[in-house]
Amino acid sequence: MTEHRTPVDLWFDPVCPWAWMTSRWLLEVEKVRPVQTRWHVMSLSVLNEDKDVPEEYRRLLADAWAPVRVCAAAEQRHGSEVLGPLYTALGTRFHNRKEPRGTDTIAAALADAGLPAELIEAAGSTDYDEAVRASHADGIDRVGQEVGTPVISVEGVSFFGPVVSPAPKGEAAGRLWDGVLLVAGTDGFFELKRSRTRDPIFE
């Protein structure tokens, strides 16, 4: 008999290192809890397009359109199940390997994920921007405009984060999942936060 696995929806922007950390944690959770991740794009560029942000961050946002457009194109043409492998390929190159966030790296990630090379054409096209904005709105509307990526939604409970470094593994990942669900599912609970004392630790 096949074990029932609860769907967990995660919205990510491929260029966000903190979303990458959360996504790797969630894959660890899948090993120790009966959950299954469903992947969705959101966009830091969309989130911040009307905001006054530092110049360094604005340069990051300028690089952020191409990968989400390619992800949206891949999803439309080949189904949502390709997003997980494509995100893993992009994130490994962007974050673990520190490769440039340009079209050469995105093209290599498409090859890593076994997807057609012509999808890179979406990187510089606005054809998929409406799909990116719709997916972004679906995620951000669940948690409000004051947060960013990642957003997680499970069984009617939605939240930003968790922001964690390094990503817990094994049963430690499961315990964090249990705790996050407990606090996020408490009626009237809104926020826990403390200052970050370390950068993302990629493994």
Side-chain angles (χ1 to χ4, degrees):
M1 184 175 179
T2 304
E3 178 188 38
H4 170 71
R5 302 182 76 82
T6 301
V8 178
D9 294 288
L10 183 142
W11 281 261
F12 66 92
D13 186 316
V15 304
C16 178
W18 295 105
W20 176 245
M21 299 300 299
T22 302
S23 72
R24 299 310 94 181
W25 160 71
L26 197 52
L27 290 178
E28 286 291 314
V29 174
E30 287 185 352
K31 299 175 184 178
V32 294
R33 296 292 185 271
V35 300
Q36 182 67 50
T37 308
R38 298 188 299 198
W39 306 92
H40 311 271
V41 294
M42 63 184 299
S43 171
L44 290 174
S45 298
V46 172
L47 184 69
N48 291 281
E49 60 187 351
D50 296 322
K51 297 178 181 176
D52 184 19
V53 298
E55 182 58 32
E56 182 179 356
Y57 191 55
R58 190 158 296 284
R59 287 195 293 270
L60 170 70
L61 298 180
D63 292 339
W65 270 112
V68 290
R69 285 168 170 164
V70 171
C71 285
E75 181 179 20
Q76 282 195 16
R77 298 187 198 178
H78 302 282
S80 59
E81 64 273 9
V82 306
L83 274 182
L86 179 54
Y87 179 33
T88 291
L90 287 166
T92 299
R93 288 181 175 275
F94 288 165
H95 305 300
N96 294 62
R97 301 182 189 174
K98 308 296 185 187
E99 295 181 18
R101 296 182 295 266
T103 53
D104 288 347
T105 301
I106 298 170
L110 285 168
D112 294 342
L115 288 165
E118 60 263 24
L119 284 169
I120 194 61
E121 296 169 4
S125 169
T126 59
D127 290 350
Y128 296 92
D129 289 9
E130 184 177 347
V132 169
R133 290 179 182 277
S135 182
H136 174 88
D138 185 24
I140 206 70
D141 287 351
R142 299 168 189 243
V143 291
Q145 298 294 322
E146 295 83 13
V147 299
T149 176
V151 169
I152 290 176
S153 186
V154 54
E155 295 187 318
V157 175
S158 303
F159 50 90
F160 161 72
V163 175
V164 62
S165 178
K169 293 180 169 53
E171 184 56 26
R175 289 196 302 271
L176 177 58
W177 175 252
D178 297 340
V180 166
L181 287 189
L182 176 63
V183 296
T186 298
D187 182 52
F189 173 83
F190 297 107
E191 188 172 3
L192 274 175
K193 190 167 184 176
R194 58 184 174 187
S195 297
R196 300 173 193 167
T197 58
R198 64 180 69 153
D199 292 328
I201 298 173
F202 306 118
E203 299 177 351

